[in-house]
Amino acid sequence: MPSVIENPEPLNPEFSPKQLQHRITVLKQLSQYFNSTGQTIHLHGPQGSGKTAVTQNLAQQIDRTTVTAPCTRYNTEYKALRHISSQLTEQDQGTGHHTSDLIRIIEKQLPHQEPVIILDDIEHLLLNADDSLLYQLSRITNREHLTLITTSHQPITELSLEERTQSSLHPRTESLEPYTAEQTYQILAERARDSLKTRSLRREALTYISATTQNLTAALTWLKTAAENTDNVITENHVQHHRKNAYLQYSKHLLKDYTQHHLLTLQSITQLLDQHNTSTVRSGEVYQQYQSLCETRKIEPLTERQISTHLKQLETLQLIQSQYHYGGSKGKTREITANTF
DNA sequence: CATCCACCGGAAATGTTGGGAC
DNA sequence: GTCCCAACATTTCCGGTGGATG
C-alpha cells in the first residue's frame, strides 16, 4: 500500500529535533545549572509536555558523557545501577554484583568523565523499590563530578521520598506546563512537514488532534497512526475515525517495557467499559475478564494479587485512574476508569 | 451490635534466570 | 558439568477495612 509518509522519523514520539520549540525558557534556565557540576536537577510536568525531549536536548548541547535510564525499563535499584555502570565503563557489568560494587565502579568513573546521569520517570522506580538508589547517588563519593537529572510528572515533594533522601538531593527544580493547543498544532505541523508528502494533510485534521489532546506523545502517535492508514489525504474525518486505534497504539507504546499481561489487563478494562457502557469497572470484574482473555489465547493467567500490582502500574502510567474503597458498602475494591484522548 | 461484602496490599515463600567459581 | 548466589517476578497466605443490612 502506498503511504503518505516519506520519512517516518519525525513522527516518532522519541524523535528529538535539534531545535526544541516552546521550551526555550526552561532550556536556558537549565543550561545555566550546567556551568558547574555536582548539581541535581528535578524536572516535572505532565505526560507529553517535553520532559524527555528537554533532557535529551540539554545532553546534546553540552559536551559531557550522558547516561539516560528510563525508569520504566530500569525499574529497580540494581537494574539502574547496572545500566549506568555498564554505560560508563562501556562494558556490560552483568548480574551477580553487589549494588555496592556497582556504586564503586560508578564512583571511579566520575572524576574523568564528569557525566550527566538522567533518571527519567522515577515514579516507576519508586513504585517497585524504595528510594535507596536516589539516596546512594546523592551521596556518592566524587559527587562533585556528577550532574544528576531526575524527571517525573509529580513535583519532587509529592514523591514518597524519605526525609534523608529529600534533604540529601535538594535538587534545583523546574516544571513544565502542558503545551497549549496552539503550540501542539505548531509542533505537529512542523513534524508533518518533515515527514509527510506535500498536500497529504488537511489543516482541520491537525486542528482536531491538537484541540483534543495536548499530550505531544499521544498527539504524534495519533498523527502517525492516521498517516499509516491512508494512501491519499489525512482529513479530519479520517483522524476521528482512527481515534480509538491511535489510543491503542499510544498505550502499546507506553507499555513497551512491560509484559503481555499488562496489555491484557488494560484490554480487559476497555472491553468491559465498551460492553456495558458504564464509566467504571471494579477490580474483581477486571480479573474475571482477564482470565477469559487468557483462556481464549491459551495463556496461563497470573494470580489476582499480581494483576492488582499490574493495575497499579497502569495507573502510574496514567493509562487508567482508580478510586479506592478500603471497605465500605462496596467492600474493599477499586473503581477503575480508562483514560482516552 | 454482629456480620457481610470484596479485595487491598504487606510479608514471606517459591520459581526462574544467569552469572561466577571450582 | 555442578554448586552456590543474587535479583526478580510471581504465588501463597492472610489480616484488615468501614458502610450496609438484619
Side-chain angles (χ1 to χ4, degrees), chain A residues 21-41:
Chain A
Q21 290 194 69
H22 307 298
R23 290 294 179 240
I24 296 168
T25 327
V26 187
L27 275 171
K28 255 194 202 142
Q29 186 59 251
L30 289 177
S31 52
Q32 279 183 16
Y33 299 151
F34 279 79
N35 292 336
S36 58
T37 52
Q39 302 278 1
T40 308
I41 298 161

Side-chain angles (χ1 to χ4, degrees), chain A residues 112-166:
Chain A
H112 40 282
Q113 299 205 23
E114 309 236 304
V116 181
I117 295 178
I118 302 171
L119 298 174
D120 214 355
D121 295 325
I122 49 172
E123 50 260 282
H124 300 283
L125 188 141
L126 294 172
L127 192 63
N128 266 283
D130 58 14
D131 61 10
S132 162
L133 173 72
L134 292 177
Y135 185 69
Q136 302 278 345
L137 285 179
S138 69
R139 320 208 42 160
I140 195 167
T141 313
N142 299 326
R143 176 73 182 83
E144 66 276 15
H145 297 290
L146 164 69
T147 302
L148 182 63
I149 303 180
T150 56
T151 78
S152 69
H153 43 253
Q154 302 273 83
I156 191 129
T157 45
E158 285 174 34
L159 299 169
S160 51
L161 298 182
E162 277 180 47
E163 188 55 44
R164 56 169 201 170
T165 309
Q166 189 86 249

Side-chain angles (χ1 to χ4, degrees), chain A residues 9 19-20 51 79 121 162 207 251 262 265 273 280 328-329:
Chain A
E9 264 315 293
Q19 287 290 333
L20 218 52
K51 293 187 294 296
K79 285 181 193 165
D121 295 325
E162 277 180 47
T207 311
S251 310
H262 288 88
T265 308
L273 290 172
T280 64
S329 52

Side-chain angles (χ1 to χ4, degrees), chain A residues 76-79 81-82 96-106 132 136:
Chain A
T76 65
E77 179 180 18
Y78 193 88
K79 285 181 193 165
L81 286 175
R82 177 183 171 183
H97 290 95
H98 278 280
T99 53
S100 56
D101 289 341
L102 295 175
I103 289 276
R104 216 162 300 126
I105 292 170
I106 295 169
S132 162
Q136 302 278 345

